[in-house]
PDB file of all heavy atoms in Angstrom:
ATOM      1  N   ASN K  75      -2.716 -21.780 -10.817  1.00 92.00           N
ATOM      2  CA  ASN K  75      -3.419 -21.128  -9.724  1.00 92.00           C
ATOM      3  C   ASN K  75      -2.485 -20.135  -9.074  1.00 92.00           C
ATOM      4  O   ASN K  75      -1.302 -20.433  -8.893  1.00 92.00           O
ATOM      5  CB  ASN K  75      -3.799 -22.146  -8.635  1.00 92.00           C
ATOM      6  CG  ASN K  75      -5.137 -22.800  -8.881  1.00 92.00           C
ATOM      7  OD1 ASN K  75      -6.177 -22.147  -8.810  1.00 92.00           O
ATOM      8  ND2 ASN K  75      -5.108 -24.079  -9.178  1.00 92.00           N
ATOM      9  N   ALA K  76      -3.020 -18.985  -8.694  1.00 95.00           N
ATOM     10  CA  ALA K  76      -2.247 -18.048  -7.876  1.00 95.00           C
ATOM     11  C   ALA K  76      -3.180 -17.637  -6.743  1.00 95.00           C
ATOM     12  O   ALA K  76      -3.543 -18.473  -5.915  1.00 95.00           O
ATOM     13  CB  ALA K  76      -1.753 -16.881  -8.706  1.00 95.00           C
ATOM     14  N   ARG K  78      -6.516 -17.033  -4.824  1.00 92.00           N
ATOM     15  CA  ARG K  78      -7.836 -17.641  -4.917  1.00 92.00           C
ATOM     16  C   ARG K  78      -8.743 -16.927  -3.929  1.00 92.00           C
ATOM     17  O   ARG K  78      -8.394 -16.794  -2.754  1.00 92.00           O
ATOM     18  CB  ARG K  78      -7.720 -19.109  -4.502  1.00 92.00           C
ATOM     19  CG  ARG K  78      -8.359 -20.073  -5.437  1.00 92.00           C
ATOM     20  CD  ARG K  78      -8.211 -21.461  -4.892  1.00 92.00           C
ATOM     21  NE  ARG K  78      -7.169 -22.241  -5.527  1.00 92.00           N
ATOM     22  CZ  ARG K  78      -6.556 -23.281  -4.949  1.00 92.00           C
ATOM     23  NH1 ARG K  78      -6.850 -23.653  -3.728  1.00 92.00           N
ATOM     24  NH2 ARG K  78      -5.645 -23.945  -5.601  1.00 92.00           N
ATOM     25  N   SER K 103      -6.890 -21.659   3.028  1.00 89.00           N
ATOM     26  CA  SER K 103      -5.886 -21.948   1.996  1.00 89.00           C
ATOM     27  C   SER K 103      -4.824 -20.857   1.903  1.00 89.00           C
ATOM     28  O   SER K 103      -5.115 -19.679   2.048  1.00 89.00           O
ATOM     29  CB  SER K 103      -6.569 -22.073   0.634  1.00 89.00           C
ATOM     30  OG  SER K 103      -5.599 -22.101  -0.396  1.00 89.00           O
ATOM     31  N   HIS K 105      -3.448 -20.167  -0.842  1.00 92.00           N
ATOM     32  CA  HIS K 105      -3.783 -19.455  -2.091  1.00 92.00           C
ATOM     33  C   HIS K 105      -4.637 -18.231  -1.774  1.00 92.00           C
ATOM     34  O   HIS K 105      -4.566 -17.221  -2.468  1.00 92.00           O
ATOM     35  CB  HIS K 105      -4.524 -20.380  -3.056  1.00 92.00           C
ATOM     36  CG  HIS K 105      -3.623 -21.333  -3.769  1.00 92.00           C
ATOM     37  ND1 HIS K 105      -2.852 -20.958  -4.835  1.00 92.00           N
ATOM     38  CD2 HIS K 105      -3.351 -22.645  -3.561  1.00 92.00           C
ATOM     39  CE1 HIS K 105      -2.152 -22.003  -5.268  1.00 92.00           C
ATOM     40  NE2 HIS K 105      -2.430 -23.034  -4.506  1.00 92.00           N
ATOM     41  N   SER K 110       0.834 -18.202  -2.852  1.00 96.00           N
ATOM     42  CA  SER K 110       1.084 -19.517  -3.455  1.00 96.00           C
ATOM     43  C   SER K 110       0.904 -19.477  -4.966  1.00 96.00           C
ATOM     44  O   SER K 110       0.041 -18.769  -5.480  1.00 96.00           O
ATOM     45  CB  SER K 110       0.082 -20.543  -2.904  1.00 96.00           C
ATOM     46  OG  SER K 110       0.063 -20.512  -1.506  1.00 96.00           O
ATOM     47  N   ILE K 111       1.705 -20.274  -5.667  1.00 96.00           N
ATOM     48  CA  ILE K 111       1.473 -20.488  -7.093  1.00 96.00           C
ATOM     49  C   ILE K 111       1.612 -21.981  -7.399  1.00 96.00           C
ATOM     50  O   ILE K 111       2.420 -22.675  -6.781  1.00 96.00           O
ATOM     51  CB  ILE K 111       2.422 -19.671  -8.003  1.00 96.00           C
ATOM     52  CG1 ILE K 111       3.877 -19.858  -7.608  1.00 96.00           C
ATOM     53  CG2 ILE K 111       2.063 -18.200  -8.004  1.00 96.00           C
ATOM     54  CD1 ILE K 111       4.848 -19.175  -8.559  1.00 96.00           C
ATOM     55  N   ASP K 112       0.787 -22.452  -8.311  1.00 95.00           N
ATOM     56  CA  ASP K 112       0.866 -23.842  -8.769  1.00 95.00           C
ATOM     57  C   ASP K 112       1.458 -23.826 -10.164  1.00 95.00           C
ATOM     58  O   ASP K 112       0.902 -23.200 -11.075  1.00 95.00           O
ATOM     59  CB  ASP K 112      -0.533 -24.480  -8.817  1.00 95.00           C
ATOM     60  CG  ASP K 112      -1.161 -24.610  -7.435  1.00 95.00           C
ATOM     61  OD1 ASP K 112      -0.422 -24.566  -6.435  1.00 95.00           O
ATOM     62  OD2 ASP K 112      -2.393 -24.754  -7.366  1.00 95.00           O
ATOM     63  N   TYR K 132       4.582 -28.620   0.358  1.00 92.00           N
ATOM     64  CA  TYR K 132       3.992 -29.947   0.618  1.00 92.00           C
ATOM     65  C   TYR K 132       4.736 -31.072  -0.089  1.00 92.00           C
ATOM     66  O   TYR K 132       4.289 -32.219  -0.061  1.00 92.00           O
ATOM     67  CB  TYR K 132       2.508 -29.947   0.224  1.00 92.00           C
ATOM     68  CG  TYR K 132       1.723 -28.880   0.954  1.00 92.00           C
ATOM     69  CD1 TYR K 132       1.283 -27.737   0.296  1.00 92.00           C
ATOM     70  CD2 TYR K 132       1.462 -28.998   2.318  1.00 92.00           C
ATOM     71  CE1 TYR K 132       0.586 -26.739   0.967  1.00 92.00           C
ATOM     72  CE2 TYR K 132       0.770 -28.007   2.999  1.00 92.00           C
ATOM     73  CZ  TYR K 132       0.335 -26.887   2.317  1.00 92.00           C
ATOM     74  OH  TYR K 132      -0.340 -25.904   2.990  1.00 92.00           O
ATOM     75  N   ASP K 136       1.694 -32.326  -2.905  1.00 89.00           N
ATOM     76  CA  ASP K 136       1.050 -31.296  -3.731  1.00 89.00           C
ATOM     77  C   ASP K 136       2.187 -30.675  -4.528  1.00 89.00           C
ATOM     78  O   ASP K 136       2.598 -29.553  -4.291  1.00 89.00           O
ATOM     79  CB  ASP K 136       0.344 -30.271  -2.825  1.00 89.00           C
ATOM     80  CG  ASP K 136      -0.546 -29.326  -3.625  1.00 89.00           C
ATOM     81  OD1 ASP K 136      -0.593 -29.452  -4.865  1.00 89.00           O
ATOM     82  OD2 ASP K 136      -1.181 -28.458  -3.008  1.00 89.00           O
ATOM     83  N   MET K 138       2.978 -29.390  -7.409  1.00 94.00           N
ATOM     84  CA  MET K 138       3.088 -28.170  -8.212  1.00 94.00           C
ATOM     85  C   MET K 138       2.969 -26.895  -7.377  1.00 94.00           C
ATOM     86  O   MET K 138       3.076 -25.796  -7.890  1.00 94.00           O
ATOM     87  CB  MET K 138       2.069 -28.169  -9.358  1.00 94.00           C
ATOM     88  CG  MET K 138       0.626 -28.266  -8.957  1.00 94.00           C
ATOM     89  SD  MET K 138      -0.456 -27.896 -10.385  1.00 94.00           S
ATOM     90  CE  MET K 138       0.098 -29.096 -11.600  1.00 94.00           C
ATOM     91  N   HIS K 139       2.774 -27.048  -6.086  1.00 95.00           N
ATOM     92  CA  HIS K 139       2.485 -25.911  -5.201  1.00 95.00           C
ATOM     93  C   HIS K 139       3.762 -25.331  -4.569  1.00 95.00           C
ATOM     94  O   HIS K 139       4.510 -26.040  -3.896  1.00 95.00           O
ATOM     95  CB  HIS K 139       1.525 -26.386  -4.109  1.00 95.00           C
ATOM     96  CG  HIS K 139       1.122 -25.335  -3.132  1.00 95.00           C
ATOM     97  ND1 HIS K 139      -0.142 -24.782  -3.116  1.00 95.00           N
ATOM     98  CD2 HIS K 139       1.810 -24.722  -2.132  1.00 95.00           C
ATOM     99  CE1 HIS K 139      -0.216 -23.885  -2.144  1.00 95.00           C
ATOM    100  NE2 HIS K 139       0.961 -23.831  -1.527  1.00 95.00           N
ATOM    101  N   PHE K 140       3.987 -24.043  -4.798  1.00 97.00           N
ATOM    102  CA  PHE K 140       5.130 -23.341  -4.207  1.00 97.00           C
ATOM    103  C   PHE K 140       4.644 -22.091  -3.479  1.00 97.00           C
ATOM    104  O   PHE K 140       3.687 -21.438  -3.915  1.00 97.00           O
ATOM    105  CB  PHE K 140       6.132 -22.932  -5.295  1.00 97.00           C
ATOM    106  CG  PHE K 140       6.789 -24.104  -5.959  1.00 97.00           C
ATOM    107  CD1 PHE K 140       6.167 -24.760  -7.018  1.00 97.00           C
ATOM    108  CD2 PHE K 140       8.018 -24.577  -5.516  1.00 97.00           C
ATOM    109  CE1 PHE K 140       6.748 -25.866  -7.628  1.00 97.00           C
ATOM    110  CE2 PHE K 140       8.618 -25.683  -6.131  1.00 97.00           C
ATOM    111  CZ  PHE K 140       7.977 -26.330  -7.187  1.00 97.00           C
ATOM    112  N   ASP K 141       5.302 -21.769  -2.358  1.00 97.00           N
ATOM    113  CA  ASP K 141       4.945 -20.581  -1.589  1.00 97.00           C
ATOM    114  C   ASP K 141       6.130 -19.636  -1.478  1.00 97.00           C
ATOM    115  O   ASP K 141       7.287 -20.068  -1.394  1.00 97.00           O
ATOM    116  CB  ASP K 141       4.530 -20.973  -0.155  1.00 97.00           C
ATOM    117  CG  ASP K 141       3.182 -21.668  -0.122  1.00 97.00           C
ATOM    118  OD1 ASP K 141       2.212 -21.097  -0.642  1.00 97.00           O
ATOM    119  OD2 ASP K 141       3.111 -22.792   0.419  1.00 97.00           O
TER     120      ASP K 141
HETATM  121 ZN1  LIG D 301      -1.522 -24.866  -4.651  1.00 55.89          ZN
END
Side-chain angles (χ1 to χ4, degrees):
N75 272 292
R78 229 182 258 156
S103 169
H105 282 282
S110 309
I111 51 175
D112 295 340
Y132 303 107
D136 190 359
M138 59 168 56
H139 181 108
F140 294 84
D141 288 306

